[in-house]
């Protein structure tokens, strides 16, 4: 078993033997068994629609997560089929067509969700929370403290004003992390990975976040935006953008991610590796935070 890559929630290992390979996801921050069950259910439903994804193997007694004990305390792990492939190229027209259709299928299949999205997608840290983490970063003497201070003074209020709870209608059960990094293109075509965040979400807001991250982020590629949206519509997707308010989920998740990673960077109860990862991620994401100018260009592009 060899380490492959590290994500925000876990370490991916490649387990090989007897001519076969599997992906083992080690959960670094504990396990929510109910969330894993939602992940497995949505992944299986998507497979029935023809959406390719790695199989999440059940352990004994049918559960999809297992505790592996060790002298160091042990970990929760999940076991998936191993997928060989390259990360999706969001500039590839065929990949954009596939993704637009796939998102529409997910939204159609998951229509009618009743439970509202969690706080990660609907709210962002308040002023007191930002001041608290900023003080911790300063006290720790981290080099990016001034950059975090500027971020809190500018980007946080500018984006945070658009973050609000979703309206009751238009909720779906979906993937909630539809990024090019979560798609591998293998011999048989694209495969959708990382269903860990599956749950209820506003279709409009997931669509808005997706068109932003799949069309170049703040460097908007209008042709990509329109191609993705056209494939989504032709496959029955109904979400539309109305303005900056459609991007509430994009702004909320971006701000929450910076806050969580900054907190991790100064948390004495996690490993040095986890603190270093948090620091790197906080700085990267502060510099790549979504801009209102890009959002305006997306709305204009799809409105015309």
């Amino acid at each position: 078993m060899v380490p492959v890559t590290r994500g925000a929630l876990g370490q991916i290992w490649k387990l090989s033997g007897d001519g076969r390979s599997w992906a083992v996801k080690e959960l670094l921050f504990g396990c929510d068994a109910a969330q894993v069950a939602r992940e497995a259910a949505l992944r299986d439903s998507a497979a029935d629609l023809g959406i390719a994804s790695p199989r999440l193997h059940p352990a004994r007694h049918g559960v999809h997560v297992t505790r592996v004990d060790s002298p160091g305390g042990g970990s929760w792990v999940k076991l998936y089929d191993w997928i060989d492939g390259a990360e999706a190229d969001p500039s590839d027209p065929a990949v954009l067509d596939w993704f637009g259709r796939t998102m529409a299928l997910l939204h159609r299949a998951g229509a009618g969700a009743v439970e509202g999205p969690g706080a990660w997608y609907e709210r962002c840290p308040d002023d007191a929370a930002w001041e608290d983490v900023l003080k911790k970063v300063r006290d720790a003497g981290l080099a990016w403290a001034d950059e975090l201070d500027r971020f809190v003074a500018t980007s946080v209020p500018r984006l945070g004003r658009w973050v609000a709870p979703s309206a009751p209608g238009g909720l779906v059960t979906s993937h909630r992390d539809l990024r090019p990094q979560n798609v591998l293109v293998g011999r048989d075509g694209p495969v959708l990975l990382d269903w860990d965040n599956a749950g209820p979400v506003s279709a409009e807001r997931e669509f808005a976040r997706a068109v932003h991250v799949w069309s170049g982020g703040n460097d908007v590629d209008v042709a990509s935006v329109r191609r993705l949206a056209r494939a989504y519509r032709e496959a029955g997707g109904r979400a539309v953008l109305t303005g900056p308010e459609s991007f509430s989920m994009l702004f909320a998740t971006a701000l929450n991610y910076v806050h969580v990673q900054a907190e991790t960077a100064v948390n004495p109860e996690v490993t040095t590796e986890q603190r270093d990862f948090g620091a790197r991620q906080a700085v990267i994401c502060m510099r790549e935070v979504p801009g209102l100018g890009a959002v305006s260009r997306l709305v204009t592009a799809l409105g015309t």
Side-chain angles (χ1 to χ4, degrees):
M1 188 156 70
V2 295
V4 177
T5 187
R6 160 73 201 274
L9 299 178
Q11 171 71 47
I12 303 296
W13 303 78
K14 184 176 184 179
L15 173 65
S16 302
D18 292 333
R20 298 181 61 192
S21 296
W22 299 266
V24 177
K25 186 162 197 174
E26 177 189 6
L27 305 179
L28 299 176
F29 299 98
C31 171
D32 181 344
Q35 178 59 36
V36 175
R38 283 191 289 270
E39 172 193 355
L42 183 62
R43 182 266 159 206
D44 290 346
S45 296
D48 292 339
L49 298 173
I51 299 172
S53 62
R55 183 163 51 121
L56 173 55
H57 292 271
R60 296 183 184 93
H61 313 301
V63 296
H64 290 82
V65 64
T66 302
R67 176 76 179 181
V68 178
D69 293 318
S70 71
S75 300
W76 290 97
V77 298
K78 296 185 289 185
L79 183 72
Y80 300 86
D81 286 340
W82 179 261
I83 302 296
D84 284 312
E87 185 177 306
D89 177 1
S91 68
D92 183 337
V95 170
L96 288 171
D97 290 344
W98 169 87
F99 175 70
R101 290 193 302 270
T102 296
M103 183 166 49
L105 288 174
L106 286 170
H107 287 180
R108 289 170 56 193
V114 176
E115 178 187 359
W120 181 264
Y121 306 95
E122 301 277 280
R123 293 189 289 275
C124 51
D126 59 19
D127 291 345
W130 283 112
E131 287 301 321
D132 179 66
V133 74
L134 178 57
K135 182 178 184 304
K136 291 176 181 175
V137 169
R138 285 200 179 283
D139 290 347
L142 297 183
W144 43 277
D146 287 344
E147 187 170 358
L148 179 60
D149 193 0
R150 290 191 295 273
F151 180 80
V152 171
T154 57
S155 295
V156 168
R158 186 164 59 240
L159 303 183
R161 68 182 291 259
W162 296 104
V163 176
S166 301
L171 296 178
V172 297
T173 300
S174 190
H175 185 281
R176 299 201 299 198
D177 196 16
L178 296 171
R179 301 180 296 150
Q181 296 91 326
N182 287 337
V183 176
L184 284 181
V185 181
R187 181 179 55 191
D188 298 323
V191 178
L192 182 58
L193 312 176
D194 284 351
W195 296 70
D196 304 66
N197 297 315
V201 67
S202 159
E204 173 189 347
R205 294 178 178 189
E206 184 168 63
F207 175 72
R209 182 175 185 265
V211 296
H212 180 270
V213 300
W214 280 83
S215 63
N218 289 333
D219 298 319
V220 176
D221 184 318
V222 172
S224 294
V225 174
R226 291 176 175 165
R227 186 170 194 116
L228 188 161
R230 183 165 58 249
Y232 176 77
R233 301 264 180 270
E234 290 175 350
R238 302 181 64 181
V240 296
L241 305 183
T242 58
E245 62 276 6
S246 297
F247 295 83
S248 175
M249 173 186 170
L250 173 70
F251 299 149
T253 54
L255 295 176
N256 282 321
Y257 191 76
V258 171
H259 187 270
V260 164
Q261 297 304 331
E263 284 276 16
T264 302
V266 293
N267 185 350
E269 298 182 0
V270 302
T271 66
T272 299
E273 181 185 5
Q274 290 169 349
R275 285 194 295 273
D276 290 345
F277 179 87
R280 291 193 302 272
Q281 287 293 294
V283 171
I284 290 170
C285 293
M286 279 192 290
R287 296 172 182 175
E288 296 178 351
V289 70
L292 290 174
V295 162
S296 177
R297 290 193 293 276
L298 288 170
V299 174
T300 299
L302 294 187
T304 56

